[in-house]
């Protein structure tokens, strides 16, 4: 927690946690304002958690969520009202403190405070508000043509896809001018969270600082994106700064919509409600699994698309295996509620998975979408789609429930000219070039390509984007290369064995190894060793470093694709 003072009665900070409340109260803060929408980050506690901790510490708490980079005059006015009404000193927080500082800057400007005073106060706290001040000075008009920054290639997103593509670009052209935009301090190996929830990995093994992973020679712009303006090759950042580019790569991942399930944010992390889709909750999954001896364990999966479609059932298999080994399984009722119509989208893997469903005596409920949860009452409600297309409500109790939230593209992508009707970045599925805007590429979870949204997909996509982008810029000669839809889902069916699902577009099997070594349609210990021992170092030391192990891009069918002039 890094608190920075803007004014005598106001300080700002990045994301705070419920454990920080005692220290904030001791420091004299009497109120907190949350300016970060719930579900924005993978390691973010929801506001209901913060509010409960604040109340216990004698601190007032208010929720004024603002989408990153989309601070309106109305938001600023509401922020000013809160500052007037709440007892001070006040701490306002968001992801980095920038949104809270922007709200303060605009509200102060509306009250007539001189712009140089606002700028200097923000700068002293470590925030660049030149863009916000420009917005006030121009009467609220959008940023002009003048750019604050320019880079030949701009990469939006510092997750698996963004860092991997920046590293692949640098590996091919070391002197290329690249900037990477991401506001996060930490980078997470999210495929490892299933293993944390199963007691195999520790949380710390899945986290690194962002600064340690940005490729050498790549400029890190630590900010959030507000908007894309492809017609003038510009990205607008929070605070209204403008970054111009020759080529753009979009890879911000997706957003988890915890609030899309009524009652969920208030009970996450307690009352037996957990999820391996959040860094700080995966350890709670393991605590629940270890301590459950009798009762009902419920596992859920929301409608597609979601990040790693196998992860919801991986949590079930690892939990059930633990209970089986401890002799408790006979006393625990396991139920899997899936919003989809099948257990897994590639039919070749369904039969071996069903063997484990039977082994663990798990009850499958298809076309059941979790809509409401009552943590203290240990009740959950699902909307079931019936055979005739109608719906009905199904209610169940639980002693523990593993919840996977609905997922969607980030708001700043959904509202942009780059999005398709569903809100995802619209790309050609082979070249990963934008379908309508030249000079723009995308990869990872944010695209509308019909592949599985996995880190393994991003590992294969990064070299494709790097090659095609440099070809487009004239730095390479030859043909475009094509992404074949490859994705991998190591299904942890029991501790020590994995069903290594590898497939591409149309459900075509794309095994990486000969069947005598790893047959992906059969659970194996070799696949487990790959997941436990090999994939984490491959991720940290190869994929994010531009070393494209088993990911060399290939030309399209019969050499199809554009050829450089």
């Amino acid at each position: 927690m890094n608190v920075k003072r803007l004014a005598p009665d106001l300080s700002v900070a990045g994301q705070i946690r419920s454990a920080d409340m005692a220290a904030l109260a001791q420091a004299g803060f009497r109120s907190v304002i949350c300016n970060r929408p719930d579900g924005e980050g993978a390691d973010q506690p929801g506001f209901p958690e913060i509010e409960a901790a604040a109340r216990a510490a004698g601190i007032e708490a208010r929720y004024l969520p603002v989408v990153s980079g989309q601070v309106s005059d109305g938001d600023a006015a509401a922020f000013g009202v809160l500052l007037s009404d709440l007892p001070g000193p006040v701490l306002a927080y968001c992801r980095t403190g920038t949104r809270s500082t922007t709200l303060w800057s605009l509200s102060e400007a509306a009250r007539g405070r001189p712009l140089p005073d606002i700028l200097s106060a923000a700068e002293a706290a470590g925030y660049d508000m030149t863009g916000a001040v420009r917005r006030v000075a121009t009467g609220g008009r959008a940023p002009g043509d003048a750019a604050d920054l320019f880079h030949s290639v701009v990469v939006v997103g510092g997750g698996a896809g963004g860092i991997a593509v920046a590293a692949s670009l640098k590996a091919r052209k070391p002197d290329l001018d690249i900037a990477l935009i991401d506001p996060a301090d930490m980078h997470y190996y999210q495929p490892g969270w299933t293993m944390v929830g199963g007691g195999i990995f520790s949380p710390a093994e899945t986290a690194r600082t962002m600064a340690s992973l940005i490729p050498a020679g790549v400029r890190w712009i630590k900010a959030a994106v507000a908007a894309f303006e492809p017609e003038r090759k510009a990205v607008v950042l929070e605070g209204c700064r403008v970054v111009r580019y020759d080529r753009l790569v979009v890879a911000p991942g997706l957003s988890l919509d915890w609030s899309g399930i009524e009652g969920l944010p208030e009970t996450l992390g307690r009352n037996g409600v957990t999820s391996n889709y959040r860094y700080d909750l995966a350890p709670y999954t393991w605590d629940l699994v270890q301590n459950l001896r009798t009762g009902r364990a419920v596992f859920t999966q929301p409608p597609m698309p979601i990040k790693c479609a196998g992860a919801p059932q991986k949590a079930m298999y690892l939990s059930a295996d633990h209970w089986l080994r401890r002799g408790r399984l006979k006393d625990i009722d396991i139920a899997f509620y899936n919003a989809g119509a099948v257990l897994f989208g590639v039919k070749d893997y369904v039969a071996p998975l069903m063997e484990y469903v039977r082994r663990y005596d798990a009850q499958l409920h298809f076309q059941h979408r979790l809509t409401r949860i009552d943590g203290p009452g240990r009740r959950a409600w699902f909307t079931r789609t019936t055979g005739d297309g109608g719906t009905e409500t199904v209610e169940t109790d639980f002693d523990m429930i593993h919840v996977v939230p609905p997922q969607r593209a980030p708001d700043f992508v959904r509202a942009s000219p780059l999005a398709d009707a569903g809100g995802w970045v619209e790309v050609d599925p082979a070249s990963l070039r934008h379908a309508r805007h030249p000079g723009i590429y995308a990869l990872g979870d944010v695209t509308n390509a019909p592949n599985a949204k996995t880190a393994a997909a991003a590992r294969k996509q990064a070299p494709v984007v790097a090659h095609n982008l440099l070809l487009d810029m004239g730095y390479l000669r030859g043909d475009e290369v094509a992404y074949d839809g490859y994705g991998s889902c190591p299904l942890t069916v029991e501790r020590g064995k994995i069903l290594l699902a590898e497939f591409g577009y149309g459900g075509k099997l794309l095994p990486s190894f000969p069947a005598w070594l790893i047959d992906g349609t059969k659970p194996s210990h070799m696949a487990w060793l790959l997941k436990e021992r090999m994939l984490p170092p491959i991720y940290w030391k190869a994929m994010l470093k531009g070393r494209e192990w088993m990911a060399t891009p290939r030309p399209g069918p019969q050499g199809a694709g554009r050829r450089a002039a």
Side-chain angles (χ1 to χ4, degrees):
M1 181 177 58
N2 188 7
V3 176
K4 300 176 181 179
R5 187 180 181 190
L6 283 177
D9 260 8
L10 176 67
S11 296
V12 296
Q15 179 66 57
I16 63 174
R17 304 195 173 275
S18 54
D20 296 326
M21 283 303 163
L24 291 174
Q26 189 173 12
F29 287 102
R30 299 174 63 196
S31 304
V32 296
I33 301 174
C34 172
N35 298 131
R36 189 179 189 190
D38 282 346
E40 191 178 66
D43 59 345
Q44 174 189 353
F47 177 71
E49 298 174 50
I50 297 295
E51 184 180 33
R55 189 183 304 114
I59 295 176
E60 296 279 333
R62 296 292 185 274
Y63 188 46
L64 181 62
V66 178
V67 174
S68 181
Q70 298 182 28
V71 179
S72 69
D73 291 342
D75 294 328
F79 187 81
V81 170
L82 285 178
L83 288 184
S84 298
D85 292 348
L86 287 170
V90 175
L91 176 72
Y93 74 91
C94 52
R95 177 162 35 194
T96 63
T98 302
R99 254 168 292 182
S100 300
T101 304
T102 303
L103 285 162
W104 173 80
S105 299
L106 295 177
S107 66
E108 287 294 291
R111 293 173 55 190
R113 184 169 180 172
L115 297 184
D117 289 356
I118 296 172
L119 198 62
S120 61
E123 185 177 6
Y127 296 99
D128 182 358
M129 288 292 110
T130 53
V133 168
R134 183 192 305 135
R135 169 176 159 181
V136 174
T138 58
R141 293 192 298 276
D145 288 335
D148 296 284
L149 297 169
F150 172 84
H151 292 278
S152 295
V153 177
V154 169
V155 178
V156 173
I163 291 183
V165 78
S168 288
L169 285 165
K170 276 292 185 182
R172 287 165 172 78
K173 185 167 175 54
D175 63 342
L176 187 64
D177 173 29
I178 306 174
L180 187 147
I181 304 173
D182 196 291
D185 291 306
M186 299 299 295
H187 176 105
Y188 297 100
Y189 176 56
Q190 295 183 29
W193 292 349
T194 294
M195 303 291 265
V196 174
I200 295 107
F201 289 173
S202 69
E205 292 177 80
T206 69
R208 299 283 190 281
T209 62
M210 188 72 78
S212 69
L213 298 174
I214 303 293
V218 172
R219 177 175 182 175
W220 178 24
I221 300 174
K222 194 173 183 293
V225 170
F228 296 103
E229 297 185 351
E231 71 283 352
R232 64 187 186 110
K233 293 189 171 183
V235 174
V236 181
L237 307 181
E238 61 180 0
C240 301
R241 290 185 295 158
V242 177
V243 182
R244 300 287 292 272
Y245 58 81
D246 278 333
R247 299 293 186 278
L248 175 69
V249 180
V250 184
L254 53 69
S255 295
L256 305 178
D257 186 14
W258 299 103
S259 298
I261 299 169
E262 183 183 348
L264 179 60
E266 293 86 345
T267 194
L268 272 171
R270 53 187 179 274
N271 302 315
V273 182
T274 188
S275 179
N276 289 342
Y277 275 71
R278 215 173 83 180
Y279 172 77
D280 61 325
L281 292 180
Y284 183 51
T285 301
W286 180 231
D287 287 344
L288 292 173
V289 170
Q290 291 182 97
N291 293 321
L292 187 67
R293 283 165 173 77
T294 63
R296 183 169 174 80
V298 173
F299 299 83
T300 76
Q301 178 168 322
M304 298 292 284
I306 64 171
K307 182 192 298 286
C308 190
Q313 58 186 292
K314 293 181 196 180
M316 176 178 70
Y317 298 137
L318 281 178
S319 301
D321 179 65
H322 177 80
W323 296 323
L324 178 63
R325 291 169 187 263
R326 293 297 186 275
R328 303 179 199 163
L329 189 59
K330 63 183 183 301
D331 299 316
I332 297 175
D333 177 24
I334 300 174
F336 184 55
Y337 288 83
N338 187 344
V342 295
L343 183 62
F344 197 75
V346 181
K347 62 181 178 59
D348 301 75
Y349 303 108
V350 173
L353 290 174
M354 282 302 301
E355 291 184 18
Y356 279 90
V357 169
R358 288 187 288 268
R359 172 187 291 191
Y360 301 133
D361 195 23
Q363 301 303 305
L364 301 182
H365 303 273
F366 294 116
Q367 297 192 313
H368 283 67
R369 176 173 57 89
L370 179 63
T371 52
R372 183 159 69 96
I373 191 165
D374 173 8
R378 305 290 177 118
R379 308 292 295 177
W381 290 263
F382 297 83
T383 297
R384 175 181 174 264
T385 302
T386 59
D388 59 3
T391 60
E392 63 181 12
T393 299
V394 175
E395 182 181 354
T396 187
D397 63 333
F398 64 84
D399 292 281
M400 74 162 278
I401 183 169
H402 179 272
V403 176
V404 179
Q407 297 165 35
R408 64 188 185 189
D411 288 339
F412 70 91
V413 172
R414 292 165 57 86
S416 78
L418 307 185
D420 68 2
W424 306 95
V425 177
E426 186 177 5
V427 297
D428 172 78
S431 68
L432 301 177
R433 190 172 56 250
H434 198 277
R436 292 175 284 109
H437 296 288
I440 298 178
Y441 296 78
L443 74 158
D445 296 344
V446 79
T447 77
N448 71 346
N451 64 290
K453 296 183 184 297
T454 66
R459 182 172 66 86
K460 290 276 193 169
Q461 291 171 339
V464 171
V465 171
H467 178 97
N468 290 343
L469 184 150
L470 292 174
L471 184 75
D472 190 27
M473 295 183 78
Y475 293 125
L476 297 178
R477 300 185 64 83
D479 291 325
E480 276 194 340
V481 294
Y483 170 59
D484 58 7
Y486 176 86
S488 175
C489 186
L491 291 150
T492 49
V493 290
E494 62 177 287
R495 191 178 185 118
K497 283 191 178 180
I498 274 177
L499 188 76
L500 183 60
E502 296 181 283
F503 48 89
Y505 289 140
K508 179 182 178 181
L509 300 191
L510 296 174
S512 298
F513 305 95
W516 61 264
L517 182 60
I518 297 179
D519 182 346
T521 63
K522 297 177 182 177
S524 74
H525 183 61
M526 183 63 73
W528 176 274
L529 293 178
L530 177 71
K531 168 76 172 176
E532 182 189 23
R533 306 282 178 84
M534 295 181 64
L535 289 184
I538 287 171
Y539 181 85
W540 297 117
K541 299 178 181 179
M543 177 178 169
L544 301 189
K545 302 295 183 183
R547 302 182 182 100
E548 296 160 6
W549 181 73
M550 298 183 72
T552 303
R554 299 176 181 177
Q558 289 81 48
R562 296 185 307 170
R563 181 177 293 275

